[in-house]
Amino acid sequence: MISANDLQALWITLQLATLTTVILLLLGTPLAWWLAHTRQKFKPMIEALIALPLVLPPTVLGFYLLLALGPQGIFGQTAQALGLGSLAFTFSGLVIGSVFYSLPFVVQPLQNTFAAIGRRPLEVAATLRASPLDRFFSVILPLARPGFITAAILGFAHTVGEFGVVLMIGGNIPGETQVLSIAIYDHVEAVDYASAHWLAGGLLLASFIMLLLVYRYNRRLQVLPT
């Protein structure tokens, strides 16, 4: 029921979701930290921009990202000037689009976690002469572990389920930019419902398991003695 093209789509999807999640954690952590503690007047504007993918149709976001990544776009021209070639309809373009599309699913859980921790642990660590980096890595990161796990799972799962954005940016090139969601669409379009069931059912089960892990982990932390 599962063809070689389907296995390729699965491999591309896993690569895309893993790389996107790592990039989002690296970029989203300082951004979420800043949002959790800043009092700048333009903070709501930044939060609104980050949350746009939650309400914006994926095809709209994908369309404007395609223009930006294309030969005449700002990212596309920059990549060509650096000798990196085209970004549109490539795996690199998919990664960039996925980072934008899944950004709120990583930043918001981390921001909420940092805000809940507050500044008190940092102040205590400062009295012990810990450096700012030491305070963050030794104090904040262990306390924020639930938020990081939630952010990583949500970012990964959301990237796996992408359709509109990846279709607009990467097209549907088997072995290069075709991901599982697009492979399912191809099977449905070809009236191959059996193959579509296998892929869709696998995604449904995997998504449920990932969300179940998040809720079980958070619930276990809530019942642990303090």
Side-chain angles (χ1 to χ4, degrees):
M1 291 295 182
I2 299 180
S3 66
N5 282 341
D6 294 335
L7 292 177
Q8 282 186 323
L10 172 62
W11 175 238
I12 292 173
T13 302
L14 293 177
Q15 286 181 300
L16 176 63
T18 301
L19 184 56
T20 298
T21 302
V22 171
I23 293 174
L24 281 173
L25 288 175
L26 292 176
L27 297 178
T29 298
L31 179 57
W33 178 260
W34 180 81
L35 288 172
H37 296 94
T38 186
R39 295 182 180 178
Q40 295 289 339
K41 294 181 179 180
F42 54 84
K43 173 184 174 180
M45 181 181 296
I46 302 298
E47 291 177 316
L49 288 173
I50 293 173
L52 262 181
L54 297 175
V55 297
L56 197 65
T59 50
V60 174
L61 179 62
F63 172 68
Y64 285 111
L65 284 174
L66 177 61
L67 294 180
L69 297 175
Q72 305 303 320
I74 181 173
F75 294 136
Q77 290 182 343
T78 302
Q80 290 180 342
L82 295 174
L84 301 177
S86 176
L87 291 176
F89 307 111
T90 64
F91 181 79
S92 298
L94 290 186
V95 173
I96 295 173
S98 299
V99 167
F100 278 102
Y101 188 50
S102 296
L103 186 63
F105 291 86
V106 172
V107 171
Q108 289 184 354
L110 291 179
Q111 180 183 349
N112 293 335
T113 299
F114 292 148
I117 292 174
R119 292 186 173 274
R120 181 59 179 169
L122 289 175
E123 294 171 353
V124 173
T127 62
L128 300 176
R129 298 183 179 180
S131 66
L133 280 179
D134 190 27
R135 294 174 220 163
F136 184 81
F137 285 101
S138 300
V139 178
I140 298 301
L141 283 188
L143 293 175
R145 184 176 60 178
F148 277 98
I149 292 176
T150 299
I153 292 178
L154 290 180
F156 186 92
H158 190 251
T159 303
V160 168
E162 290 180 39
F163 179 77
V165 171
V166 294
L167 182 61
M168 294 291 289
I169 297 175
N172 186 9
I173 307 173
E176 294 186 30
T177 62
Q178 186 186 68
V179 295
L180 276 181
S181 57
I182 298 177
I184 293 172
Y185 178 81
D186 281 350
H187 286 310
V188 173
E189 196 173 40
V191 200
D192 184 5
Y193 290 163
S195 297
H197 271 305
W198 275 98
L199 297 181
L203 278 180
L204 176 63
L205 180 62
S207 299
F208 176 77
I209 290 174
M210 285 187 283
L211 290 175
L212 180 63
L213 290 174
V214 170
Y215 285 112
R216 285 182 62 88
Y217 180 76
N218 289 336
R219 182 175 180 274
R220 184 170 66 86
L221 288 179
Q222 291 175 357
V223 300
L224 287 177
T226 58

